[in-house]
Amino acid sequence: MKFTKLLVAAGLAVASAVPAFANDISGAGSTFVYPILAKWADAYKKENGVGVNYQSIGSGGGIKQIQSRTVTFGASDMPLKPADLQKSGLVQFPVVSGGDVPVVNLEGIKPGELKLDGATLAKIFLGDIKTWDDPAIAKLNPTAKLPSQAIVVVHRSDGSGTTFIWTDYLAKVSSDWKSKVGAATAVEWPVGIGAKGNEGVANNVANTKGSIGYVEYAYAKQNKMTSVNMINKDGKVVSPSAAAFQAAAANADWANSDHYFVVITDQPGAESWPIAGSTFVLIPTQPNDVAATKEALKFFGWAFTPKGDAMAENLDYVPMPSSVVNGIKKVWANSIKDSGGQPLFAASN
Amino acid sequence: MVDVAWQHEDEASQDVAERARVLQKLKASDTFFRILTRSAAIFVLMMLGGVIISLISGSIPAFREFGFSFVSTQIWNPVTEKFGAVAPIYGTIVTSFLAMLIAVPFGLLIAMFLTELCPLWLRRPIGIAIELLAGIPSIIYGIWGLFVLAPFFADHVQPTLIAATRNIPVLSTLFAGPPYGIGIFTASIILAIMVLPFITSISRDVFDAVPPVLKEAAYGLGCSTWEVMRFVVLPYTRVGVIGGVMLGLGRALGETMAVTFVIGNAHKINASLLAPGTTIAATIANEFTEAVGDLYTSSLIALGLILFVITFIVLALARFLLMRIEGKVG
């Protein structure tokens, strides 16, 4: 008897404890966005007492989890196509931007000394340009001393948003790349060796003379790698910096986009870094757990304030421009509703 | 008197009842133990069955889409969703084969040294070192391979190999191409180091179990140490040694993280061992998290099923081999 009573008491205790957790927000997806989401979550919990539990299981996993509604939001480095969004009943919006930086290991070449344009980069990654003293590279770098060394291409072996941004850029600037390889989180690479993660690519580049690879901007910056400057759409030479990524995000035409299906590679503007991209958050248009989704929107609204932006900048992410944030909030108010058709977010918040 | 007799009888019957009770108890505990062990064993079967069923059901979409071409083409294109498994199958088999080619003789030599020739004071340190090697997590081997072994190979070993084999017909193709440092060759070396402790420690244990009288008799006949090992110890312990080799091979076939770091992860078959390749386990580990779309995921699960089948075939072959040997010896 005593035991039964104890069980009942325990059951009651658990039952009454549940509502306290119900408002906690759960998310899953992109590993790229994890550091900033963790930082935001930590600060937000201290301020508002609502926790965010984010599992960085990869964009693919995040998409699957939000499609089966096991989490409050998903995060993906690759935007979903408007048709897929409609099919799964989701809305998407960008939260932060970042991008890729080409890095090289060439004797006598210092960071920022080498310049490349998109067409040449695509030819290198297609295997059409095989040595560093190829006329196409020499023409862009008349003053650099280029060795007649074989080019070793290093790419990511794991599926990754970094690869998506990279291949999306190459597909935009080279029709050859578009038809032969295409753009995705993992592709069939014509040449090169595959390495796991940013650290794998960085190490293989560091170990292999004559190699070229690509890593996330934050990773290249923090590890002071030999980055390559790019010639952007406007024909201007840009070096990878927070300002150049910001310019790319600001010059993208978000307002006229279809469901934010925008990859901010190869954007116009003299300052724009051409190989940039964003992480997108996915939220159901008609969520099962209305309370949690309401909290999630509040959380992202808070993350879009100057305070959240500063945290993102500290970690070398590029926050969304305020004009874009206003548009995103309108989308929240218009598209995300409970079962009674009531919006979960008031645009004035 | 009569009373006493009665009492005795009473005690006797009590005794019998007591014994029956104890026996009953024993029987019950025996039954309980039997059920417990049997359900544990059946549980293993159920787990295995569950894994097989989920692998098969998960890979149905891939096999339905590609049919036989899944195991006959080496295209692996997530963009156009065309998948063929030949490159990872080739990589898995070649790296495991090379690893065993290096690790088996090496491991047997170490075990022979430890059991026959090693001075007593050196036996324990070497034994402990081997067990420690077996306990190192595979990710550590991978990181060590990437940071230490690969650059060393790229700078020293591979250029020498390429130069030395330049004019030798078959070897020049096997050791062709730029010395990346990572690739099939480096992955095989790492795998060999990883399976070495398994082969060594099992061989050492079975060598130790050889009755001393057999070896002493052989030595008495004037056999050298090599002859004793070759003609007495190895034949006596072949079942155990083959078991150790199979355990090592099982690990080599399924090893994931260490291989992923050093194999170069290219979905291509290249005649050169220095070129990058990929294995089944490495492909799954690399691509599963970001695999979008049913066909892609299903193709990766199908790869898992193929690895399962390869492992099964290897184990079955080993059994068959053992039976043949046993049969011959009679």
Side-chain angles (χ1 to χ4, degrees):
Chain A
M1 263 319 270
K2 231 181 187 175
F3 185 64
T4 327
K5 262 186 202 159
L6 206 71
L7 264 184
V8 170
L12 278 178
V14 170
S16 59
V18 165
F21 292 116
N23 289 342
D24 268 14
I25 309 157
S26 65
S30 155
T31 47
F32 168 70
V33 79
Y34 174 70
I36 181 58
L37 266 180
K39 195 167 182 183
W40 279 341
D42 191 45
Y44 191 69
K45 171 126 193 165
K46 274 183 198 139
E47 239 175 73
N48 301 303
V50 177
V52 180
N53 172 21
Y54 183 73
Q55 304 158 357
S56 58
I57 55 172
S59 301
I63 293 170
K64 273 176 211 143
Q65 293 230 344
I66 190 64
Q67 277 171 343
S68 58
R69 304 287 193 266
T70 47
V71 287
T72 320
F73 69 90
S76 166
D77 297 329
M78 185 162 119
L80 288 192
K81 290 194 189 81
D84 290 337
L85 285 171
Q86 222 120 49
K87 209 174 74 189
S88 313
L90 297 169
V91 283
Q92 74 184 356
F93 53 90
V95 279
V96 283
S97 299
D100 298 359
V101 174
V103 290
V104 293
N105 176 354
L106 268 178
E107 227 153 312
I109 300 283
K110 286 185 277 301
E113 202 179 327
L114 205 65
K115 293 189 285 283
L116 290 174
D117 59 8
T120 313
L121 204 57
K123 276 187 190 143
I124 292 174
F125 272 74
L126 278 167
D128 293 343
I129 294 178
K130 291 188 169 66
T131 55
W132 283 108
D133 58 354
D134 190 281
I137 303 176
K139 209 175 106 194
L140 297 172
N141 300 277
T143 54
K145 263 204 299 194
L146 294 162
S148 75
Q149 207 167 14
I151 300 177
V152 179
V153 168
V154 183
H155 54 76
R156 287 283 287 269
S157 61
D158 46 339
S160 157
T162 315
T163 298
F164 172 71
I165 293 168
W166 186 257
T167 51
D168 184 82
Y169 172 61
L170 294 184
K172 272 187 190 157
V173 294
S174 154
S175 55
D176 244 16
W177 183 273
K178 196 173 180 180
S179 62
K180 284 183 190 160
V181 185
T185 53
V187 297
E188 188 174 29
W189 295 96
V191 289
I193 49 184
K196 193 165 164 53
N198 282 304
E199 63 286 355
V201 171
N203 271 294
N204 273 302
V205 169
N207 289 339
T208 317
K209 289 189 188 77
S211 59
I212 180 167
Y214 59 92
V215 292
E216 256 161 38
Y217 162 62
Y219 193 88
K221 187 186 168 199
Q222 284 151 16
N223 293 284
K224 301 190 173 55
M225 304 189 65
T226 310
S227 57
V228 174
N229 286 353
M230 291 297 300
I231 297 168
N232 65 14
K233 196 172 189 173
D234 285 14
K236 297 284 189 311
V237 177
V238 280
S239 57
S241 67
F245 284 99
Q246 218 133 26
N251 285 324
D253 190 8
W254 296 100
N256 295 321
S257 65
D258 186 3
H259 294 85
Y260 290 108
F261 184 72
V262 177
V263 187
I264 56 171
T265 51
D266 201 30
Q267 291 302 316
E271 308 279 298
S272 298
W273 179 255
I275 325 170
S278 326
T279 299
F280 297 82
V281 162
L282 303 160
I283 285 184
T285 48
Q286 230 188 54
N288 300 337
D289 189 345
V290 171
T293 305
K294 228 175 193 165
E295 288 296 337
L297 293 177
K298 254 191 223 158
F299 168 71
F300 285 113
W302 174 90
F304 283 142
T305 59
K307 200 194 291 172
D309 290 352
M311 288 179 201
E313 275 164 3
N314 267 338
L315 292 175
D316 295 315
Y317 291 91
V318 179
M320 298 314 294
S322 56
S323 58
V324 180
V325 170
N326 288 337
I328 291 172
K329 286 183 174 170
K330 262 183 214 132
V331 169
W332 290 352
N334 293 337
S335 318
I336 305 175
K337 291 174 179 159
D338 64 13
S339 50
Q342 286 299 311
L344 297 186
F345 185 85
S348 57
N349 283 20
Chain B
M1 264 322 258
V2 178
D3 268 5
V4 172
W6 264 111
Q7 231 174 344
H8 266 282
E9 208 160 287
D10 210 31
E11 261 174 26
S13 74
Q14 247 178 15
D15 213 30
V16 168
E18 178 77 10
R19 243 187 245 173
R21 229 186 11 253
V22 169
L23 273 178
Q24 199 64 41
K25 225 172 158 184
L26 277 178
K27 209 170 157 191
S29 97
D30 250 4
T31 317
F32 173 71
F33 188 63
R34 193 177 62 237
I35 292 174
L36 192 71
T37 50
R38 185 187 291 172
S39 36
I42 289 176
F43 184 68
V44 170
L45 277 184
M46 279 167 51
M47 291 286 288
L48 185 67
V51 169
I52 294 175
I53 290 170
S54 52
L55 277 179
I56 290 177
S57 75
S59 55
I60 283 174
F63 283 118
R64 187 173 291 157
E65 175 76 23
F66 305 118
F68 184 70
S69 77
F70 187 72
V71 288
S72 65
T73 56
Q74 58 161 313
I75 189 169
W76 187 270
N77 193 332
V79 181
T80 55
E81 299 213 301
K82 293 265 183 306
F83 300 105
V86 174
I89 292 176
Y90 168 84
T92 305
I93 292 174
V94 169
T95 49
S96 299
F97 175 75
L98 284 178
M100 299 318 281
L101 204 65
I102 301 164
V104 170
F106 229 93
L108 288 182
L109 287 177
I110 297 173
M112 287 174 188
F113 177 72
L114 282 178
T115 49
E116 287 300 305
L117 300 165
C118 184
L120 271 179
W121 61 269
L122 198 59
R123 224 172 254 201
R124 272 182 68 84
I126 295 184
I128 290 173
I130 286 162
E131 268 146 39
L132 277 179
L133 268 185
I136 295 176
S138 62
I139 183 87
I140 305 289
Y141 280 106
I143 291 172
W144 177 76
L146 179 63
F147 282 85
V148 182
L149 197 66
F152 175 75
F153 273 19
D155 290 342
H156 304 290
V157 179
Q158 295 186 351
T160 327
L161 256 178
I162 295 169
T165 57
R166 183 165 294 150
N167 297 318
I168 309 169
V170 180
L171 290 183
S172 65
T173 7
L174 279 183
F175 298 112
Y180 291 134
I182 60 178
I184 298 260
F185 180 72
T186 312
S188 308
I189 302 275
I190 288 274
L191 278 180
I193 298 171
M194 292 179 73
V195 300
L196 190 65
F198 286 82
I199 296 171
T200 308
S201 55
I202 289 180
S203 312
R204 187 193 54 188
D205 289 348
V206 294
F207 287 173
D208 266 338
V210 176
V213 63
L214 285 180
K215 288 189 276 184
E216 281 157 16
Y219 281 123
L221 288 172
C223 288
S224 65
T225 315
W226 162 245
E227 285 165 339
V228 172
M229 294 313 294
R230 170 69 188 82
F231 296 107
V232 179
V233 175
L234 269 184
Y236 189 85
T237 56
R238 62 183 174 272
V239 176
V241 169
I242 291 179
V245 170
M246 284 306 138
L247 201 66
L249 184 55
R251 179 162 193 195
L253 283 172
E255 178 48 46
T256 311
M257 283 325 286
V259 172
T260 308
F261 273 82
V262 296
I263 198 164
N265 302 300
H267 277 280
K268 278 200 184 69
I269 295 178
N270 204 312
S272 171
L273 294 180
L274 304 185
T278 189
T279 68
I280 293 176
T283 303
I284 297 174
N286 268 323
E287 299 179 23
F288 208 82
T289 46
E290 294 280 341
V292 190
D294 293 340
L295 207 54
Y296 195 2
T297 319
S298 171
S299 298
L300 289 169
I301 296 173
L303 272 186
L305 182 67
I306 290 172
L307 182 60
F308 193 88
V309 171
I310 291 177
T311 316
F312 181 79
I313 291 174
V314 165
L315 285 179
L317 269 179
R319 285 278 142 144
F320 179 68
L321 209 72
L322 273 182
M323 263 159 50
R324 288 255 327 242
I325 295 174
E326 295 296 301
K328 253 191 210 156
V329 177

